Amino acid sequence: MIVYLMGPGRAQEHVRPRVVASWDGRDAGWQPPQVGEGEFDRDLGSLIRALRAPAMAAGLPEHDEEGKRGYVWHCSARVAGGDRVLSDAEWAEVARDLLHGAGVAARDDAGGPRWVAVRHADDHIHIAVVLVRQDTGRRFWPSHDYPKLRQAARDVEQRLGLSVTAPADGTAAKAPHRGEIEKARRQGRVPARVELARAVRAAAVGAGGLTEFLSAVRAAGYLVEVRRAPSGDPLGYKVARLGDVTAAGEPVFYSGSKLAPDLSLPRLLRGWESAGRGTEAVVPLDAARRRVEAARAVVGSARRGGTDGDAHGVASATLPVLTAVGEWSEDLRVAAERFDRAARSPRGVRGRDRAVAAGLRRVARQLVGQRRMLGVRDEPGAAAVALAVALSALVREIAAWQRDRGRPHQAVAASESADVLDRWVAARPAGDGPGRGGHGSAARRPQAQPRPDRAAQRPCTVPRG
């Protein structure tokens, strides 16, 4: 790791790499000496030996043992694009704050682990720690270091006037790993994790249960297997795309929960059960729009002091509707993907799928089933545009509610989704607008309001043909 951090990088992207902080306070004193004329011609041996000394004294293996967790902890810390450039001294304090806050290396702990912070760009540093105490030689692994690290980072952001990021609330998407990204680039495809999440979510929205879901995934051209208990009850599932194999030729499977929290089998089963509570066989687009407006009223009520649990349920159920509408165009599919994080409840919070949220899930399922019959797959008509306008208003209400609750990432995700919906509406031909006396011009951007203006809304009919 030290060789990489102090070297040119994989694409010659490192510039003037230097040590800015260390375990013993020598900081820049540990900068490896120059041994040649090149920027990266430095003697790294003394720094590497010093960092590894406690591990060597404890008799730990020099190289990773197969199947054993290593003892090097690595963290990179980066400021946002619009933030100011920090000095080396400021980055040194940032490194100490992060290590102390994460419980990795406490300040003023002379017997703690050895670590070094390296800077090789204006906007970020890397911190490498050998997880072996100097006083006891005990190898350790910090507990819950990531949530603690996030809180420490937020404290740093506020102290230095940097862009404030959201807390670690468990709502971030499962990002593809570096290996997945590089493999996808070689193949000229999107990462498998991204493609599979799209396919699985689309299949789940249109399904009424596990059997339909599995059939839809297979019909879309993917491999899917179900894990069952001895009793035969389903416990989980995993999916893979054709041609994506390991070095041994085995399919690379991803479990639903590894694709996204809402795609785990228990979550899907609860969603299907919720959507199945209704009795109506068909929900026309104008009725679907009224369901969306009722959902917006629920979120508005939560903003005014109502029940947050119902608003969480509505936010979660809005994603399936956006996914279903995303079948109409690529732009609308993007709107659903942008909204993804806004649909997730923070860790420890569970939404309630009451009547309104359950109705949204039924709308989503029926939109998928009816889109060809209604003639809106390729040329959405007035009722479809009216539904998109109502969805934009609901999504903006969710953005405002998330912002009120101090969840900036969820609020931004919802706002970006609404922006995409608005652009799609604005691009519709004038004849496709909801009409005079309805929602106003198709290009009008709906704003989050405490409650929908019922007097200004007229029913829209389903376009024929």
Side-chain angles (χ1 to χ4, degrees):
M1 178 173 290
I2 296 300
V3 170
Y4 166 73
L5 295 180
M6 296 297 299
R10 292 188 173 90
Q12 305 294 317
E13 73 273 22
H14 296 175
V15 178
R16 203 164 65 87
R18 58 202 182 274
V19 175
V20 296
S22 63
W23 73 96
D24 58 359
R26 286 181 57 190
D27 297 352
W30 278 109
Q31 177 72 359
Q34 195 86 24
V35 294
E37 297 181 358
E39 180 182 9
F40 308 106
D41 295 332
R42 293 186 176 274
D43 178 10
L44 307 179
S46 58
L47 175 60
I48 294 173
R49 285 191 297 272
L51 285 167
R52 290 168 50 185
M56 297 300 100
L60 294 176
E62 182 176 354
H63 301 288
D64 291 341
E65 293 179 290
E66 186 176 354
K68 296 292 185 67
R69 174 184 278 179
Y71 49 86
V72 174
W73 186 91
H74 172 226
C75 167
S76 61
R78 183 186 302 270
V79 295
D83 286 337
R84 64 184 176 87
V85 176
L86 302 184
S87 67
D88 284 357
E90 287 176 314
W91 272 122
E93 287 306 302
V94 168
R96 290 186 168 87
D97 288 342
L98 294 179
L99 290 171
H100 180 81
V104 176
R107 286 181 177 273
D108 303 321
D109 181 7
R114 294 190 175 187
W115 58 271
V116 66
V118 174
R119 181 178 188 178
H120 51 217
D122 281 345
D123 62 354
H124 72 278
I125 61 170
H126 291 260
I127 308 171
V129 186
V130 176
L131 295 174
V132 179
R133 288 194 60 85
Q134 299 178 73
D135 51 5
T136 65
R138 183 176 64 85
R139 177 168 142 176
F140 70 98
W141 191 262
S143 176
H144 303 292
D145 53 321
Y146 181 75
K148 295 176 184 176
L149 191 63
R150 288 297 306 116
Q151 183 56 51
R154 283 167 59 82
D155 293 341
V156 167
E157 291 157 2
Q158 293 168 1
R159 176 171 61 82
L160 296 179
L162 304 174
S163 298
V164 177
T165 53
D169 59 4
T171 63
K174 299 285 187 180
H177 302 310
R178 181 190 294 272
E180 298 173 54
I181 295 173
E182 293 177 351
K183 181 178 182 179
R185 186 181 297 116
R186 291 194 301 270
Q187 297 174 340
R189 308 172 69 176
V190 299
R193 188 188 300 268
V194 175
E195 179 181 330
L196 291 171
R198 291 173 183 168
V200 167
R201 183 168 283 112
V205 168
L210 180 59
T211 301
E212 291 181 26
F213 167 69
L214 297 175
S215 297
V217 173
R218 292 183 179 118
Y222 299 95
L223 303 175
V224 59
E225 297 179 4
V226 179
R227 181 168 58 90
R228 297 183 181 274
S231 62
D233 294 332
L235 298 177
Y237 70 94
K238 58 183 181 179
V239 292
R241 65 181 180 186
L242 297 176
D244 188 17
V245 296
T246 65
E250 298 294 327
V252 179
F253 279 100
Y254 295 80
S255 66
S257 61
K258 294 298 183 183
L259 297 177
D262 61 302
L263 296 181
S264 68
L265 185 57
R267 292 283 294 276
L268 292 181
L269 291 173
R270 287 199 297 269
W272 292 327
E273 191 273 334
S274 171
R277 293 172 191 160
T279 58
E280 69 269 47
V282 176
V283 177
L285 288 184
D286 58 335
R289 174 178 56 80
R290 291 194 292 272
R291 288 272 176 82
V292 171
E293 291 164 353
R296 181 185 175 196
V298 168
V299 180
S301 175
R303 292 187 64 199
R304 299 189 300 273
T307 305
D308 268 352
D310 293 342
H312 280 294
V314 167
S316 176
T318 299
L319 180 56
V321 180
L322 289 170
T323 301
V325 171
E327 297 291 330
W328 299 352
S329 77
E330 176 66 17
D331 288 341
L332 293 178
R333 183 184 66 78
V334 171
E337 293 185 350
R338 294 284 177 83
F339 184 78
D340 182 48
R341 188 168 188 179
R344 300 178 190 162
S345 299
R347 187 184 292 110
V349 176
R350 183 170 177 179
R352 292 191 286 269
D353 265 15
R354 294 189 175 176
V356 173
L360 287 179
R361 294 187 186 278
R362 288 196 298 277
V363 164
R365 187 175 69 191
Q366 291 165 4
L367 282 173
V368 171
Q370 297 172 36
R371 65 182 185 272
R372 292 182 182 276
M373 180 183 68
L374 294 175
V376 298
R377 180 177 177 84
D378 299 314
E379 297 294 336
V385 174
L387 176 57
V389 171
L391 274 170
S392 177
L394 168 59
V395 170
R396 290 199 184 281
E397 194 75 59
I398 292 172
W401 167 69
Q402 296 280 27
R403 192 174 296 109
D404 292 346
R405 298 301 181 269
R407 301 168 189 150
H409 283 331
Q410 288 90 327
V412 168
S415 295
E416 290 179 347
S417 175
D419 289 344
V420 175
L421 287 166
D422 291 346
R423 288 195 294 270
W424 181 85
V425 169
R428 296 304 95 202
D432 282 349
R436 181 178 298 172
H439 294 267
S441 70
R444 179 184 176 188
R445 173 179 291 187
Q447 301 295 322
Q449 302 291 339
R451 70 184 340 168
D453 183 2
R454 295 287 187 183
Q457 298 168 355
R458 290 174 52 190
C460 296
T461 57
V462 178
R464 297 181 180 276

